[in-house]
Amino acid sequence: MPDKYFIFQGHPSWRAIIGFYLKGALVGAGAGVLAGLIDSSAGLGILTFGVILAVTILVGFIKRVATVYTITDRRLNIKVGIIARRIQETRLQRVQNVNFTQGVYERLMQIGDVEFTTAGTDESNFVFAGVAQPEHVVQQVEHATPLLSGLQGEAEPTN
């Protein structure tokens, strides 16, 4: 819709997939050594390592690009997949809490998971996993949500 204002749109950071790439490289190296021992030549081992590494890089890239996180002035949206697609969506005014988590590794890599707790459904949590600078995403949502309720930075009314 033309009347949507995008607060945030992005993918998981490439830094969030480095662990996946490292695991793929280790599996490729192990398979390459095993193939080299079985064939007793380095050629098959190097080829095996190269193929597994290339597949790992391709799968990681597709996994990252096929995940899109969107926050508009009205909705929260997670789309996952290229051919088959899973979409999780809710209204922004249903968001009750926005938190982000970072372990030691995530702090070093400047990535984290932003979790949105929403009201009233069994699927009440939305997680933007592996986003770069998660505190920035939280700040953007916090600036947008008072506008929805009409409070615009004022304290919530009490009864």
Side-chain angles (χ1 to χ4, degrees):
M1 287 185 191
D3 59 339
K4 281 188 180 178
Y5 171 70
F6 285 92
I7 297 167
F8 173 81
Q9 186 169 30
H11 305 277
S13 172
W14 64 270
R15 295 182 302 264
I17 307 177
I18 288 177
F20 177 78
Y21 290 149
L22 290 175
K23 290 175 190 171
L26 288 174
V27 168
V33 167
L34 188 61
L37 291 174
I38 291 172
D39 189 44
S40 71
S41 71
L44 182 61
I46 293 171
L47 178 65
T48 303
F49 172 72
V51 167
I52 291 175
L53 185 63
V55 168
T56 300
I57 291 171
L58 181 64
V59 167
F61 178 76
I62 290 172
K63 188 176 177 180
R64 182 174 103 67
V65 171
T67 303
V68 181
Y69 303 129
T70 307
I71 303 169
T72 68
D73 58 345
R74 296 183 182 167
R75 302 201 69 76
L76 198 73
N77 188 300
I78 301 172
K79 292 181 185 177
V80 178
I82 294 176
I83 297 171
R85 181 164 275 186
R86 182 178 61 90
I87 299 174
Q88 188 178 6
E89 187 172 80
T90 191
R91 290 186 315 271
L92 190 60
Q93 60 194 154
R94 295 186 64 174
V95 173
Q96 292 180 331
N97 295 311
V98 182
N99 302 305
F100 73 94
T101 57
Q102 289 180 307
V104 175
Y105 173 75
E106 287 86 8
R107 294 240 351 178
L108 291 171
M109 299 303 284
Q110 298 177 355
I111 58 174
D113 297 342
V114 179
E115 183 177 336
F116 303 89
T117 307
T118 59
T121 63
D122 291 336
E123 268 189 44
S124 61
N125 292 331
F126 287 73
V127 178
F128 287 10
V131 294
Q133 300 176 337
E135 64 278 355
H136 182 66
V137 177
V138 171
Q139 288 172 352
Q140 288 179 319
V141 172
E142 286 175 353
H143 288 303
T145 50
L147 298 175
L148 289 174
S149 63
L151 299 174
Q152 298 182 6
E154 299 173 13
E156 290 184 351
T158 56
N159 293 344

